[in-house]
Structures are given as C-alpha cells and as structure tokens.
Amino acid sequence: MGANARRGEVSAILDGKTYRLCLTLGALAELETALGAGDLVSLGERFSTGRLSARDMIAVIAAGLRGAGNTLDESDVAAMQVAGGLADYAKIIADLLLATFGAVSGDASANP
C-alpha cells in the first residue's frame, strides 16, 4: 500500500524496501520525550532550525515508521541504509516533517 499524503504519510526506501512513515499524535508524543521537547511548538521550533543530529534523525524516522504501523525500533533504523546516503536521510525527514507540520520555516525547501 502506498503513502497517503492527505493523511500525512510519506514513502521511503530503506534497505531496498519501501516503507510508509507517518508522524501520528502518538509518534509526535514519542518524539517530544525522546528529543526533550516540552510540547509540539518546541518540537516544531527544533525542527525548523535545520540542525538535527544523527540521533535526532534516527528518532524521527523510527517514530514515523511506528506511526505508520511498522514495528522497527531505533536500533533497526540505525542499521538501515538508503541509496543516497545522508542526503536521502535528510530528504525523508524533510518530507515527513513537511507532511506533518507544513512549512516549519521560511524556506520550505530547507533541509531538516
């Protein structure tokens, strides 16, 4: 089944397999805790800076996978590869955040 953009879903190819990702309310709550953000505004502000650590990226992708019904955890995501390296990880996260929050900064094309 493909991603439904109207529901905030995106598709990503990880380890050669297509996955659906979605930051549901539960996934966002998980990210608030994992990233030490007190609320959704703080979380959105953190993402809008465009400065995420590798740990942050793993947390976002893992939460998006679980939000879409996958059972993968952070250690699974940390071991996964994408064809385009870091740029593809950044695109997955940018697409997912855009689908969830809309443009979180003045430049919607900015990397996360």
Side-chain angles (χ1 to χ4, degrees):
M1 176 195 310
N4 182 341
R6 288 188 167 179
R7 292 179 48 186
E9 297 173 350
V10 299
S11 292
I13 300 174
L14 303 162
D15 276 346
K17 180 179 175 189
T18 301
Y19 289 92
R20 204 167 27 103
L21 293 86
C22 183
L23 290 178
T24 61
L25 196 55
L28 289 168
E30 176 186 322
L31 282 174
E32 286 174 349
T33 300
L35 302 180
D39 55 33
L40 287 174
V41 172
S42 298
L43 195 61
E45 288 171 350
R46 179 175 179 148
F47 294 145
S48 71
T49 67
R51 298 185 64 184
L52 297 178
S53 68
R55 180 183 48 84
D56 294 346
M57 295 172 84
I58 290 167
V60 171
I61 292 171
L65 286 164
R66 285 191 295 276
N70 297 286
T71 58
L72 301 166
D73 65 19
E74 282 79 1
S75 64
D76 296 321
V77 173
M80 293 177 141
Q81 297 180 2
V82 295
L86 187 57
D88 275 3
Y89 288 116
K91 181 172 179 358
I92 291 166
I93 292 168
D95 290 349
L96 186 56
L97 294 178
L98 187 59
T100 303
F101 291 99
V104 293
S105 70
D107 179 7
S109 67
N111 287 333

